[in-house]
């Protein structure tokens, strides 16, 4: 059996993740985006497109942070921002976070767009990457959306937007 080089192996894993509805980080590990995660990212990018702002790339690292925060809020049944967000994300220049809950992803997004501070995060033109986390519990859809612009945008692997 022929030996594969590491780069061929990483490309193979990346291809497998994209086909399966996942993304891969630079180290080749997969991150699964749920239907609700993808819907929230899609709604965020649709709002940006309607405002004439560049789409955001869905980022696995940011999504892990957002997913962890959504689960923590659902578990504690409390709405709060991610403690120490800046230390959980690497290479950032600007960070923002929207957290919320409602009966559906559509309702959460609608509430974000009606709030001036949440809307400002969604439409901020300097942001280039987004991570989403959605957790449904007790009839509520708990969400965290992390926005980022990077210090060194040329050194990271980002996945295509939803």
């Amino acid at each position: 059996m022929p030996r594969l080089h590491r780069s061929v192996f990483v490309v193979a894993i990346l291809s497998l993740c994209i086909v399966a509805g996942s993304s891969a980080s630079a180290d080749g590990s997969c991150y699964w985006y749920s239907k609700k995660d993808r819907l929230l990212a899609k709604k965020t990018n649709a709002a940006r497109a309607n405002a004439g702002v560049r789409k955001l790339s869905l980022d696995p690292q940011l999504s892990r942070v957002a997913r962890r925060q959504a689960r923590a809020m659902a578990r504690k049944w409390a709405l709060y921002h991610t403690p120490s967000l800046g230390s959980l994300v690497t290479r950032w220049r600007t960070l923002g976070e929207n957290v919320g809950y409602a009966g559906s992803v559509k309702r959460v997004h609608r509430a974000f767009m009606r709030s001036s501070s949440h809307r400002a995060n969604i439409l901020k033109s300097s942001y280039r990457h987004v991570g989403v986390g959605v957790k449904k519990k007790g009839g509520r859809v708990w969400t965290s959306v992390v926005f980022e612009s990077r210090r060194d945008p040329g050194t990271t692997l980002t996945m295509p937007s939803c």
Side-chain angles (χ1 to χ4, degrees):
M1 181 170 178
R3 265 184 92 196
L4 296 177
H5 291 292
R6 185 180 190 289
S7 60
V8 173
F9 177 70
V10 170
V11 170
I13 286 184
L14 178 61
S15 299
L16 175 65
C17 291
I18 291 171
V19 169
S22 304
S23 275
S25 62
D27 67 0
S29 61
C30 293
Y31 179 80
W32 178 259
Y33 292 99
S34 74
K35 186 176 180 181
K36 288 180 179 12
D37 293 340
R38 292 189 311 267
L39 177 61
L40 187 55
K42 187 174 184 177
K43 289 193 160 300
T44 298
N45 273 330
R48 289 174 67 88
N50 287 339
V53 182
R54 179 180 169 180
K55 288 174 73 173
L56 298 169
S57 295
L58 192 55
D59 182 86
Q61 179 191 44
L62 298 177
S63 291
R64 278 190 293 274
V65 171
R67 168 84 44 95
R68 191 176 310 129
Q69 178 63 13
R71 283 192 304 244
M73 291 186 304
R75 185 175 54 254
K76 294 178 182 177
W77 203 255
L79 188 64
Y80 59 96
H81 285 279
T82 303
S84 306
L85 179 62
S87 66
L88 299 173
V89 178
T90 60
R91 299 177 306 273
W92 62 273
R93 180 178 5 153
T94 309
L95 285 174
E97 181 184 41
N98 287 351
V99 295
Y101 67 84
S104 69
V105 169
K106 290 178 185 179
R107 287 183 177 167
V108 170
H109 180 71
R110 194 176 319 136
F112 284 162
M113 293 305 290
R114 289 179 179 163
S115 160
S116 60
S117 59
H118 292 96
R119 182 181 174 88
N121 270 342
I122 290 170
L123 300 180
K124 188 170 184 171
S125 63
S126 64
Y127 288 142
R128 295 290 183 257
H129 307 275
V130 66
V132 295
V134 179
K135 174 67 177 170
K136 187 170 184 175
K137 182 178 179 187
R140 289 184 178 175
V141 175
W142 297 85
T143 64
S144 172
V145 183
V146 179
F147 303 91
E148 173 195 57
S149 63
R150 295 207 172 122
R151 284 188 308 216
D152 191 6
T155 62
T156 59
L157 173 68
T158 58
M159 296 298 103
S161 300
C162 292

